Amino acid sequence: MKYMKLGSKPDAFQTDGSNIRSIATELAADFVINVGDVKFYLHKFPLLSKSLRLQKLVASRNDENDDEIAIPDIPGGPAAFEICAKFCYGMIVTLNAYNVVAARCAAEYLEMHEAVEKGNLIYKIEVFLSSSILRAWKDSIIVLQTTKSLLPWAEDLKVVGDCVDSIVSKASIDPAEVDWSYTYNRRKLPSENGLDAHWNGVRKQQMVPKDWWVEDLCDLEVDLYKQVIVAIKTKEKMPSDVIGEALKAYTCRRLPGFAKGTVICASDPVKSRAMLETIVSLLPTELGSISCSFLLKILRAASLLECGEICKKKLIKRVGCQLHEASLSDLLVPAAEGETLYDVDLVLSIVEEFVMQENNSTETSPEATEELVEVRSPIFVSPSSKFAVSKLIDEYLAEIAKDPNLPLSKFIELSEMLSADFRPVHDGLYCAIDMYLKEHPDLTKSKRKEICGLMDCRKLSTNACIHAVQNDRLPLRVVVQVLFFSQMMAPGATNCGIAELPGNVRTLLRENGGSYGSSRSGITTNTDEDWEGAPVPGDLNHLKSMSLASGVGGGSQRSNGSTDANKHGDDKVNGRVKGASMPKKILSKLWTSKSGDNSNSDMSESPDSINNQEESKSTPRNTRHSVSLQNYT
């Protein structure tokens, strides 16, 4: 740290009690100066010879016998005045980065200019600032921080502006030219440490990282920090990703609890809210300059701190442009109010922004037009980004489905927000639907049909089909559709058409306009009593013969099927169901339906009784089939 000593006489100030200062001299003090609650017993000649303001105050006294002068509003208080008084007496005064601004403001208040006496205090401090303090990196930051309590004096004297200019000029130079100390606690890259794999462990000259200045600026209060960052951005020499890293480091340091994924706002929520809104206003507009994970953390904090709508909308727009970079944990934002665990409406807004990119939409609300900074977003959303978002949202749906208070309407709204080209495979959506059905067992038949209608059975993988045909939580119509489409896609079944199916099955699949492409059209519009036309045993035998010929998802699963069935008895090997067992399961359910049982019942009969009408009337067994979801995920 730079410092300067003024004067040559030893310090003769002494303290008589906590609020009294005096000079140890043979001459008695001839007047008293009150600074706040501290009394200074001093002599007129040394002070009046250098301070024009004290001259004016002494001359303006009406009572010549009154030797007390009050200056309660001097910047810097008693400590700053004491520095000025010692300088007037020629005593040794040590100036450094922590007290130089207070001394400069106090000297200005006392009018200690060159016109009063050559080599006065203001001149000496200005020389010290320009020649020493402002040339040092950390001293400039310390001085700028001390100006916070000395406003508006420090600003009027241009000390704040000079400090900002000094910091910005140093932060903007080529890192290779940095030769002063700085704080850098984060892990450096091998090249930054002087080590490179291509050099066989030979240490090169240590390189300075591009963001070397980031951590030192975290000591500044948010208003001063904003001035520095705005000035750095104005110079347009700093890469946007480095500015993003600076804002991330500052937020983690200054916002309580942010680094741990939460925000502690009990101490001063107003201050925390103002700080976060300032950080959001400083975010660079270039895509990629801020990670999506950090943006979502800020959005979560903004929700908890109840920031303004303009601030939230800006963040939602930014996150929507980079949603494909997010992870599931980033989206699990706790709900600020209401009965649900997570803020689903927030995620709906984010997904809407992502989908709007396809239309290259740049509309903003009228009231926010002047405040929102438009983000440059790509016109075309790549297929990989669409797939990443669909996978992420399906994972999110599966997670929020565990919330017993989640309305079905929210689940469906979020699911339908992604168009068909976003989901080439519906396994993730099926997993989410199954989780919702599991956690909400009281859903009515119509609601079950509605949620299952979100899924396209043609887009399920073989493993998902195997799981679906055993899933007692699904409506029976969905199970039939899964079985049908798996048969259509099975190897060797390319010539199997609709005409070859039993009459009643074709009727069921052709309901509501003859749509076979999506289960939604065949489910959501039917009444609860939709299985009056269930296949008769003869039709079931036809389905059974088709299934045994190819198996669900292909005949590769059933080589030596009868041997495996006798050997294992469970019809499952490593979590995968043999091809021959699938039609038995579904045929049993269909037979039960024809016999008058509820289509969603957990009761099933032995498939061996299909050709025996007497045995088909036997008492059904309670067999709930529990299948692990991890078999197809």
Side-chain angles (χ1 to χ4, degrees), residues 455-476:
M455 176 178 59
D456 188 343
C457 297
R458 296 174 300 178
K459 294 185 177 182
L460 294 179
S461 67
T462 301
N463 287 346
C465 289
I466 291 173
H467 184 279
V469 297
Q470 301 177 91
N471 194 343
D472 289 321
R473 289 186 286 270
L474 297 179
L476 195 54

Side-chain angles (χ1 to χ4, degrees), residues 563-583:
T563 304
D564 291 340
N566 294 331
K567 185 181 297 184
H568 298 284
D570 191 34
D571 287 332
K572 287 188 285 184
V573 179
N574 295 328
R576 296 174 64 89
V577 182
K578 291 293 182 178
S581 66
M582 244 51 64

Side-chain angles (χ1 to χ4, degrees), residues 3 20 50 112 138 212 358 399 509 594 602:
Y3 65 93
I20 297 177
K50 292 182 174 61
M112 301 176 72
K138 289 193 174 180
W212 62 267
E358 284 194 288
E399 188 64 31
L509 293 172
K594 181 62 181 176
D602 294 335

Side-chain angles (χ1 to χ4, degrees), residues 64-82:
E64 296 182 359
N65 296 323
D66 185 7
D67 293 330
E68 289 196 19
I69 296 176
I71 48 175
D73 55 345
I74 182 171
F81 176 78
E82 185 172 330

Side-chain angles (χ1 to χ4, degrees), residues 187-206:
R187 182 179 299 176
K188 298 181 181 180
L189 299 173
S191 59
E192 294 173 347
N193 285 321
L195 296 176
D196 198 315
H198 298 291
W199 288 79
N200 297 322
V202 177
R203 180 173 291 275
K204 300 185 297 183
Q205 184 178 0
Q206 184 172 354

Side-chain angles (χ1 to χ4, degrees), residues 420-442:
D421 60 333
F422 275 79
R423 288 190 179 100
V425 179
H426 276 208
D427 287 18
L429 181 58
Y430 168 62
C431 180
I433 292 172
D434 185 59
M435 182 61 67
Y436 194 92
L437 294 175
K438 179 180 179 182
E439 298 296 331
H440 300 77
D442 297 332

Side-chain angles (χ1 to χ4, degrees), residues 8-82:
S8 58
K9 297 179 182 179
D11 187 351
F13 263 78
Q14 60 184 14
T15 301
D16 299 328
S18 60
N19 296 328
I20 297 177
R21 304 286 191 274
S22 61
I23 298 294
T25 178
E26 296 178 356
L27 296 175
D30 52 10
F31 80 133
V32 179
I33 298 180
N34 296 320
V35 183
D37 58 349
V38 179
K39 291 180 177 293
F40 289 88
Y41 290 84
L42 304 172
H43 304 84
K44 291 181 182 179
F45 176 74
L47 272 70
L48 298 185
S49 64
K50 292 182 174 61
S51 172
L52 182 60
R53 188 181 186 93
L54 290 179
Q55 293 176 19
K56 296 175 182 178
L57 290 174
V58 171
S60 65
R61 287 185 304 169
N62 296 327
D63 187 359
E64 296 182 359
N65 296 323
D66 185 7
D67 293 330
E68 289 196 19
I69 296 176
I71 48 175
D73 55 345
I74 182 171
F81 176 78
E82 185 172 330

